[in-house]
Amino acid sequence: MEFFLAFVGFGSLILIVYLLLTEKTNPAVAFIIVSGCSAIGLALLDINLQLGIGGLLKDKFEIAYFAKIENPVFDFKALSFFIKQGISSVSSTAVLFIFAILFFGLLNEAGVFNKIINHLLKFSKNNVYGICFLTVLISVIAHLDGSGASSFLIVIPAMLPIYEKLGMRKTTLMTIMAISLGVMNLLPWGGPTLRAATIIGAEANDIWYNLIPIQAIGLLCAFGVAFILARREIALGAGKIEISISHHELEKGEYTRDKSFFLNLIVLLGILVLLIVNVLPSYFLFMLGFCLILFINYPKLEIAQKLIDKYSKSAIMMATTLFAAGILIGVFDKSGIMKVMASVILEILPHWALVLIPLIVGLSAVPMALIFCTDSYFFGIMPIVVGITQSLGIDPMSIAIIMVVARNCATFISPVVPATLLGCGLSGVSIKEHISKSFFWVWGVSLICLSCGASLGIIHFF
């Protein structure tokens, strides 16, 4: 029975990964249909054939739901309970993402980020080193909203003309951006961190609190790479032409509110400080920040509703995926099936191979990013890794940090991430050229971040 349950679990996850990689359907549909059909099938089998699934989950795997039932059966009542648990485990993460998108979206509409970027452009020097460092800074600021697509849309139009006039390669711009955005994507409202938090049942802000030192190291690496690439550009003859870059300022939008800039900035910095202090739920902070920014900039209901509608689409799409993932978590994790899967692997693989899993995952995450999309990596691979390593006494938080750090660094060189393709289109760099020029830089930064995390005691590979 154990091997049968493990077979159903692995088969379901492999099917989900296949559907995601081949783009047969969107993640929400894959999670709900595959998980739901598998769970209903198991329930019908246990009810009608009395396979003893409930008894196995009670006696060997000590699932609390079955503890008070004398002859437990994996029936629809049990399935309903596990699904509710799964949905509950992702609710705070979904709320966090919705209000983070609305908060940063309104700040962007108010012109806060554009004003900061324009200021940096105005006072930067016309030299290759300055431009490369400026690319890192602008990428960091642009990616505060956690959206790769919007970051490319902001940074590339502002910086590409400067690169071209100074005789700098466009691939350098994309490499610096890929590293900078990858490091910034560790934020608690970034997609990978949210997904990892969902899998281990933690708050995204709790993961990020541990990630802050690693993120700081990653940003230093981004500046280091920018410095090295700037030297290469100079060696190739870049920077010999003096240009004026003032006319490359980003234009004001219809809903820009320059008069409220400093007040908006105070609210932004206040929310970020409270997130770091970690004394209040992160989703509440973004709910509060969203209300303040809306009141400060758009008191008229008609304009406020129009802007909320504009950013609700992307917020709801991600929230839909997270709630669908809650079904997957309820069916396979809360029910104990994931423990069965881990148990089977523990029986098959030798101990020396098992203890190397965290290290293997950390080293291989960047190459795997070229094949696995974010959803398939975190919802298909991470649950199995967490299940196995938890049985070996390794903290799931450590595994989450390893996978988030390593995968994030590679996010924006991955051809299965739509934002990467957008960036390549805007810059005129082919995806093949972008990967060939950026891959080893990205992998190197990933390994440095993981090594520093291990030396600081944040990450435990064994």
Side-chain angles (χ1 to χ4, degrees), residues 129-158:
Y129 288 110
I131 296 304
C132 287
F133 291 150
L134 187 61
T135 303
V136 176
L137 283 174
I138 294 179
S139 297
V140 167
I141 294 166
H143 202 61
L144 278 172
D145 66 350
S147 169
S150 66
S151 300
F152 282 118
L153 287 167
I154 291 170
V155 180
I156 292 177

PDB file of all heavy atoms in Angstrom, residues 129-158:
ATOM      1  N   TYR A 129      31.784  52.866 -15.988  1.00  0.00           N
ATOM      2  CA  TYR A 129      31.599  52.351 -14.628  1.00  0.00           C
ATOM      3  C   TYR A 129      30.316  52.908 -14.010  1.00  0.00           C
ATOM      4  O   TYR A 129      29.524  52.175 -13.404  1.00  0.00           O
ATOM      5  CB  TYR A 129      32.791  52.733 -13.738  1.00  0.00           C
ATOM      6  CG  TYR A 129      34.059  51.981 -14.046  1.00  0.00           C
ATOM      7  CD1 TYR A 129      35.142  52.623 -14.635  1.00  0.00           C
ATOM      8  CD2 TYR A 129      34.172  50.629 -13.755  1.00  0.00           C
ATOM      9  CE1 TYR A 129      36.321  51.942 -14.925  1.00  0.00           C
ATOM     10  CE2 TYR A 129      35.341  49.925 -14.043  1.00  0.00           C
ATOM     11  CZ  TYR A 129      36.410  50.587 -14.625  1.00  0.00           C
ATOM     12  OH  TYR A 129      37.560  49.911 -14.905  1.00  0.00           O
ATOM     13  N   GLY A 130      30.122  54.220 -14.167  1.00  0.00           N
ATOM     14  CA  GLY A 130      28.935  54.858 -13.603  1.00  0.00           C
ATOM     15  C   GLY A 130      27.650  54.303 -14.184  1.00  0.00           C
ATOM     16  O   GLY A 130      26.676  54.075 -13.473  1.00  0.00           O
ATOM     17  N   ILE A 131      27.657  54.060 -15.488  1.00  0.00           N
ATOM     18  CA  ILE A 131      26.459  53.533 -16.154  1.00  0.00           C
ATOM     19  C   ILE A 131      26.156  52.118 -15.689  1.00  0.00           C
ATOM     20  O   ILE A 131      24.996  51.755 -15.446  1.00  0.00           O
ATOM     21  CB  ILE A 131      26.633  53.575 -17.691  1.00  0.00           C
ATOM     22  CG1 ILE A 131      26.755  55.027 -18.172  1.00  0.00           C
ATOM     23  CG2 ILE A 131      25.464  52.884 -18.375  1.00  0.00           C
ATOM     24  CD1 ILE A 131      25.597  55.926 -17.761  1.00  0.00           C
ATOM     25  N   CYS A 132      27.182  51.287 -15.535  1.00  0.00           N
ATOM     26  CA  CYS A 132      26.965  49.908 -15.083  1.00  0.00           C
ATOM     27  C   CYS A 132      26.460  49.874 -13.640  1.00  0.00           C
ATOM     28  O   CYS A 132      25.547  49.106 -13.313  1.00  0.00           O
ATOM     29  CB  CYS A 132      28.264  49.102 -15.211  1.00  0.00           C
ATOM     30  SG  CYS A 132      28.692  48.686 -16.919  1.00  0.00           S
ATOM     31  N   PHE A 133      27.041  50.710 -12.782  1.00  0.00           N
ATOM     32  CA  PHE A 133      26.559  50.783 -11.396  1.00  0.00           C
ATOM     33  C   PHE A 133      25.132  51.325 -11.353  1.00  0.00           C
ATOM     34  O   PHE A 133      24.297  50.873 -10.561  1.00  0.00           O
ATOM     35  CB  PHE A 133      27.470  51.677 -10.550  1.00  0.00           C
ATOM     36  CG  PHE A 133      28.834  51.098 -10.301  1.00  0.00           C
ATOM     37  CD1 PHE A 133      29.928  51.917 -10.131  1.00  0.00           C
ATOM     38  CD2 PHE A 133      29.023  49.727 -10.240  1.00  0.00           C
ATOM     39  CE1 PHE A 133      31.198  51.379  -9.892  1.00  0.00           C
ATOM     40  CE2 PHE A 133      30.273  49.178 -10.013  1.00  0.00           C
ATOM     41  CZ  PHE A 133      31.369  50.013  -9.840  1.00  0.00           C
ATOM     42  N   LEU A 134      24.856  52.299 -12.218  1.00  0.00           N
ATOM     43  CA  LEU A 134      23.522  52.883 -12.285  1.00  0.00           C
ATOM     44  C   LEU A 134      22.496  51.835 -12.729  1.00  0.00           C
ATOM     45  O   LEU A 134      21.358  51.832 -12.249  1.00  0.00           O
ATOM     46  CB  LEU A 134      23.523  54.063 -13.257  1.00  0.00           C
ATOM     47  CG  LEU A 134      22.239  54.898 -13.325  1.00  0.00           C
ATOM     48  CD1 LEU A 134      21.927  55.530 -11.979  1.00  0.00           C
ATOM     49  CD2 LEU A 134      22.356  55.968 -14.391  1.00  0.00           C
ATOM     50  N   THR A 135      22.891  50.941 -13.602  1.00  0.00           N
ATOM     51  CA  THR A 135      21.997  49.868 -14.048  1.00  0.00           C
ATOM     52  C   THR A 135      21.575  48.997 -12.874  1.00  0.00           C
ATOM     53  O   THR A 135      20.410  48.607 -12.760  1.00  0.00           O
ATOM     54  CB  THR A 135      22.690  48.998 -15.115  1.00  0.00           C
ATOM     55  OG1 THR A 135      23.108  49.825 -16.206  1.00  0.00           O
ATOM     56  CG2 THR A 135      21.746  47.923 -15.640  1.00  0.00           C
ATOM     57  N   VAL A 136      22.523  48.696 -11.980  1.00  0.00           N
ATOM     58  CA  VAL A 136      22.194  47.913 -10.783  1.00  0.00           C
ATOM     59  C   VAL A 136      21.202  48.676  -9.908  1.00  0.00           C
ATOM     60  O   VAL A 136      20.173  48.131  -9.480  1.00  0.00           O
ATOM     61  CB  VAL A 136      23.465  47.577  -9.967  1.00  0.00           C
ATOM     62  CG1 VAL A 136      23.085  46.834  -8.676  1.00  0.00           C
ATOM     63  CG2 VAL A 136      24.427  46.741 -10.787  1.00  0.00           C
ATOM     64  N   LEU A 137      21.494  49.953  -9.647  1.00  0.00           N
ATOM     65  CA  LEU A 137      20.636  50.753  -8.759  1.00  0.00           C
ATOM     66  C   LEU A 137      19.219  50.884  -9.306  1.00  0.00           C
ATOM     67  O   LEU A 137      18.234  50.709  -8.579  1.00  0.00           O
ATOM     68  CB  LEU A 137      21.244  52.149  -8.567  1.00  0.00           C
ATOM     69  CG  LEU A 137      22.431  52.265  -7.614  1.00  0.00           C
ATOM     70  CD1 LEU A 137      22.998  53.677  -7.653  1.00  0.00           C
ATOM     71  CD2 LEU A 137      22.013  51.922  -6.187  1.00  0.00           C
ATOM     72  N   ILE A 138      19.108  51.203 -10.587  1.00  0.00           N
ATOM     73  CA  ILE A 138      17.785  51.383 -11.183  1.00  0.00           C
ATOM     74  C   ILE A 138      17.027  50.057 -11.210  1.00  0.00           C
ATOM     75  O   ILE A 138      15.813  50.016 -10.976  1.00  0.00           O
ATOM     76  CB  ILE A 138      17.906  51.977 -12.603  1.00  0.00           C
ATOM     77  CG1 ILE A 138      18.467  53.403 -12.520  1.00  0.00           C
ATOM     78  CG2 ILE A 138      16.566  51.990 -13.303  1.00  0.00           C
ATOM     79  CD1 ILE A 138      18.648  54.073 -13.861  1.00  0.00           C
ATOM     80  N   SER A 139      17.732  48.956 -11.465  1.00  0.00           N
ATOM     81  CA  SER A 139      17.080  47.636 -11.466  1.00  0.00           C
ATOM     82  C   SER A 139      16.532  47.308 -10.084  1.00  0.00           C
ATOM     83  O   SER A 139      15.422  46.770  -9.954  1.00  0.00           O
ATOM     84  CB  SER A 139      18.086  46.555 -11.902  1.00  0.00           C
ATOM     85  OG  SER A 139      18.528  46.774 -13.220  1.00  0.00           O
ATOM     86  N   VAL A 140      17.308  47.633  -9.055  1.00  0.00           N
ATOM     87  CA  VAL A 140      16.876  47.385  -7.670  1.00  0.00           C
ATOM     88  C   VAL A 140      15.621  48.180  -7.354  1.00  0.00           C
ATOM     89  O   VAL A 140      14.654  47.659  -6.789  1.00  0.00           O
ATOM     90  CB  VAL A 140      18.013  47.740  -6.693  1.00  0.00           C
ATOM     91  CG1 VAL A 140      17.489  47.804  -5.258  1.00  0.00           C
ATOM     92  CG2 VAL A 140      19.143  46.720  -6.794  1.00  0.00           C
ATOM     93  N   ILE A 141      15.620  49.444  -7.726  1.00  0.00           N
ATOM     94  CA  ILE A 141      14.459  50.309  -7.454  1.00  0.00           C
ATOM     95  C   ILE A 141      13.243  49.852  -8.261  1.00  0.00           C
ATOM     96  O   ILE A 141      12.131  49.750  -7.734  1.00  0.00           O
ATOM     97  CB  ILE A 141      14.798  51.774  -7.786  1.00  0.00           C
ATOM     98  CG1 ILE A 141      15.880  52.297  -6.826  1.00  0.00           C
ATOM     99  CG2 ILE A 141      13.546  52.656  -7.694  1.00  0.00           C
ATOM    100  CD1 ILE A 141      16.514  53.592  -7.276  1.00  0.00           C
ATOM    101  N   ALA A 142      13.465  49.557  -9.541  1.00  0.00           N
ATOM    102  CA  ALA A 142      12.355  49.153 -10.418  1.00  0.00           C
ATOM    103  C   ALA A 142      11.722  47.846  -9.967  1.00  0.00           C
ATOM    104  O   ALA A 142      10.532  47.618 -10.190  1.00  0.00           O
ATOM    105  CB  ALA A 142      12.845  49.033 -11.862  1.00  0.00           C
ATOM    106  N   HIS A 143      12.522  46.982  -9.318  1.00  0.00           N
ATOM    107  CA  HIS A 143      12.009  45.662  -8.944  1.00  0.00           C
ATOM    108  C   HIS A 143      11.429  45.618  -7.535  1.00  0.00           C
ATOM    109  O   HIS A 143      11.136  44.536  -7.018  1.00  0.00           O
ATOM    110  CB  HIS A 143      13.112  44.609  -9.082  1.00  0.00           C
ATOM    111  CG  HIS A 143      12.583  43.217  -9.246  1.00  0.00           C
ATOM    112  ND1 HIS A 143      11.778  42.832 -10.300  1.00  0.00           N
ATOM    113  CD2 HIS A 143      12.705  42.104  -8.477  1.00  0.00           C
ATOM    114  CE1 HIS A 143      11.457  41.561 -10.175  1.00  0.00           C
ATOM    115  NE2 HIS A 143      11.995  41.087  -9.076  1.00  0.00           N
ATOM    116  N   LEU A 144      11.237  46.754  -6.926  1.00  0.00           N
ATOM    117  CA  LEU A 144      10.605  46.778  -5.604  1.00  0.00           C
ATOM    118  C   LEU A 144       9.188  46.200  -5.642  1.00  0.00           C
ATOM    119  O   LEU A 144       8.701  45.700  -4.624  1.00  0.00           O
ATOM    120  CB  LEU A 144      10.566  48.202  -5.045  1.00  0.00           C
ATOM    121  CG  LEU A 144      11.844  48.701  -4.370  1.00  0.00           C
ATOM    122  CD1 LEU A 144      11.727  50.177  -4.041  1.00  0.00           C
ATOM    123  CD2 LEU A 144      12.139  47.895  -3.105  1.00  0.00           C
ATOM    124  N   ASP A 145       8.555  46.265  -6.809  1.00  0.00           N
ATOM    125  CA  ASP A 145       7.195  45.710  -6.900  1.00  0.00           C
ATOM    126  C   ASP A 145       7.197  44.202  -7.135  1.00  0.00           C
ATOM    127  O   ASP A 145       6.139  43.573  -7.140  1.00  0.00           O
ATOM    128  CB  ASP A 145       6.389  46.408  -8.000  1.00  0.00           C
ATOM    129  CG  ASP A 145       6.933  46.142  -9.400  1.00  0.00           C
ATOM    130  OD1 ASP A 145       8.040  45.572  -9.502  1.00  0.00           O
ATOM    131  OD2 ASP A 145       6.268  46.519 -10.371  1.00  0.00           O
ATOM    132  N   GLY A 146       8.389  43.613  -7.329  1.00  0.00           N
ATOM    133  CA  GLY A 146       8.484  42.168  -7.503  1.00  0.00           C
ATOM    134  C   GLY A 146       8.098  41.668  -8.885  1.00  0.00           C
ATOM    135  O   GLY A 146       8.074  40.466  -9.127  1.00  0.00           O
ATOM    136  N   SER A 147       7.834  42.564  -9.808  1.00  0.00           N
ATOM    137  CA  SER A 147       7.417  42.174 -11.156  1.00  0.00           C
ATOM    138  C   SER A 147       8.585  42.294 -12.129  1.00  0.00           C
ATOM    139  O   SER A 147       9.096  43.399 -12.366  1.00  0.00           O
ATOM    140  CB  SER A 147       6.253  43.047 -11.628  1.00  0.00           C
ATOM    141  OG  SER A 147       6.008  42.852 -13.006  1.00  0.00           O
ATOM    142  N   GLY A 148       8.994  41.175 -12.708  1.00  0.00           N
ATOM    143  CA  GLY A 148      10.084  41.197 -13.668  1.00  0.00           C
ATOM    144  C   GLY A 148       9.724  41.949 -14.933  1.00  0.00           C
ATOM    145  O   GLY A 148      10.537  42.699 -15.481  1.00  0.00           O
ATOM    146  N   ALA A 149       8.487  41.763 -15.389  1.00  0.00           N
ATOM    147  CA  ALA A 149       8.056  42.420 -16.628  1.00  0.00           C
ATOM    148  C   ALA A 149       8.120  43.939 -16.509  1.00  0.00           C
ATOM    149  O   ALA A 149       8.688  44.617 -17.373  1.00  0.00           O
ATOM    150  CB  ALA A 149       6.636  41.974 -16.986  1.00  0.00           C
ATOM    151  N   SER A 150       7.568  44.485 -15.435  1.00  0.00           N
ATOM    152  CA  SER A 150       7.575  45.941 -15.259  1.00  0.00           C
ATOM    153  C   SER A 150       8.997  46.466 -15.081  1.00  0.00           C
ATOM    154  O   SER A 150       9.318  47.577 -15.515  1.00  0.00           O
ATOM    155  CB  SER A 150       6.705  46.343 -14.066  1.00  0.00           C
ATOM    156  OG  SER A 150       7.254  45.862 -12.856  1.00  0.00           O
ATOM    157  N   SER A 151       9.864  45.664 -14.462  1.00  0.00           N
ATOM    158  CA  SER A 151      11.255  46.081 -14.262  1.00  0.00           C
ATOM    159  C   SER A 151      11.964  46.244 -15.599  1.00  0.00           C
ATOM    160  O   SER A 151      12.668  47.240 -15.838  1.00  0.00           O
ATOM    161  CB  SER A 151      11.997  45.068 -13.394  1.00  0.00           C
ATOM    162  OG  SER A 151      11.388  44.944 -12.133  1.00  0.00           O
ATOM    163  N   PHE A 152      11.796  45.275 -16.485  1.00  0.00           N
ATOM    164  CA  PHE A 152      12.401  45.376 -17.821  1.00  0.00           C
ATOM    165  C   PHE A 152      11.811  46.558 -18.588  1.00  0.00           C
ATOM    166  O   PHE A 152      12.528  47.269 -19.311  1.00  0.00           O
ATOM    167  CB  PHE A 152      12.187  44.083 -18.603  1.00  0.00           C
ATOM    168  CG  PHE A 152      13.118  42.963 -18.217  1.00  0.00           C
ATOM    169  CD1 PHE A 152      12.621  41.788 -17.690  1.00  0.00           C
ATOM    170  CD2 PHE A 152      14.484  43.093 -18.376  1.00  0.00           C
ATOM    171  CE1 PHE A 152      13.478  40.747 -17.334  1.00  0.00           C
ATOM    172  CE2 PHE A 152      15.352  42.062 -18.022  1.00  0.00           C
ATOM    173  CZ  PHE A 152      14.849  40.885 -17.500  1.00  0.00           C
ATOM    174  N   LEU A 153      10.509  46.776 -18.429  1.00  0.00           N
ATOM    175  CA  LEU A 153       9.846  47.876 -19.141  1.00  0.00           C
ATOM    176  C   LEU A 153      10.322  49.243 -18.658  1.00  0.00           C
ATOM    177  O   LEU A 153      10.295  50.224 -19.409  1.00  0.00           O
ATOM    178  CB  LEU A 153       8.326  47.764 -18.964  1.00  0.00           C
ATOM    179  CG  LEU A 153       7.648  46.641 -19.759  1.00  0.00           C
ATOM    180  CD1 LEU A 153       6.221  46.426 -19.281  1.00  0.00           C
ATOM    181  CD2 LEU A 153       7.670  46.946 -21.248  1.00  0.00           C
ATOM    182  N   ILE A 154      10.758  49.327 -17.398  1.00  0.00           N
ATOM    183  CA  ILE A 154      11.252  50.587 -16.853  1.00  0.00           C
ATOM    184  C   ILE A 154      12.726  50.794 -17.183  1.00  0.00           C
ATOM    185  O   ILE A 154      13.137  51.865 -17.650  1.00  0.00           O
ATOM    186  CB  ILE A 154      11.052  50.629 -15.316  1.00  0.00           C
ATOM    187  CG1 ILE A 154       9.563  50.721 -14.975  1.00  0.00           C
ATOM    188  CG2 ILE A 154      11.805  51.807 -14.696  1.00  0.00           C
ATOM    189  CD1 ILE A 154       9.254  50.536 -13.508  1.00  0.00           C
ATOM    190  N   VAL A 155      13.542  49.770 -16.958  1.00  0.00           N
ATOM    191  CA  VAL A 155      14.998  49.933 -17.026  1.00  0.00           C
ATOM    192  C   VAL A 155      15.524  49.969 -18.461  1.00  0.00           C
ATOM    193  O   VAL A 155      16.333  50.845 -18.801  1.00  0.00           O
ATOM    194  CB  VAL A 155      15.708  48.807 -16.235  1.00  0.00           C
ATOM    195  CG1 VAL A 155      17.230  48.974 -16.318  1.00  0.00           C
ATOM    196  CG2 VAL A 155      15.266  48.818 -14.780  1.00  0.00           C
ATOM    197  N   ILE A 156      15.074  49.053 -19.295  1.00  0.00           N
ATOM    198  CA  ILE A 156      15.665  48.958 -20.637  1.00  0.00           C
ATOM    199  C   ILE A 156      15.429  50.213 -21.478  1.00  0.00           C
ATOM    200  O   ILE A 156      16.379  50.744 -22.078  1.00  0.00           O
ATOM    201  CB  ILE A 156      15.177  47.683 -21.358  1.00  0.00           C
ATOM    202  CG1 ILE A 156      15.760  46.451 -20.664  1.00  0.00           C
ATOM    203  CG2 ILE A 156      15.594  47.700 -22.834  1.00  0.00           C
ATOM    204  CD1 ILE A 156      15.297  45.122 -21.224  1.00  0.00           C
ATOM    205  N   PRO A 157      14.205  50.753 -21.564  1.00  0.00           N
ATOM    206  CA  PRO A 157      14.037  51.987 -22.349  1.00  0.00           C
ATOM    207  C   PRO A 157      14.866  53.151 -21.820  1.00  0.00           C
ATOM    208  O   PRO A 157      15.284  54.025 -22.594  1.00  0.00           O
ATOM    209  CB  PRO A 157      12.529  52.283 -22.202  1.00  0.00           C
ATOM    210  CG  PRO A 157      11.912  50.952 -21.927  1.00  0.00           C
ATOM    211  CD  PRO A 157      12.912  50.232 -21.086  1.00  0.00           C
ATOM    212  N   ALA A 158      15.110  53.190 -20.501  1.00  0.00           N
ATOM    213  CA  ALA A 158      15.898  54.285 -19.923  1.00  0.00           C
ATOM    214  C   ALA A 158      17.387  54.122 -20.189  1.00  0.00           C
ATOM    215  O   ALA A 158      18.102  55.101 -20.425  1.00  0.00           O
ATOM    216  CB  ALA A 158      15.642  54.352 -18.416  1.00  0.00           C
TER     217      ALA A 158
END
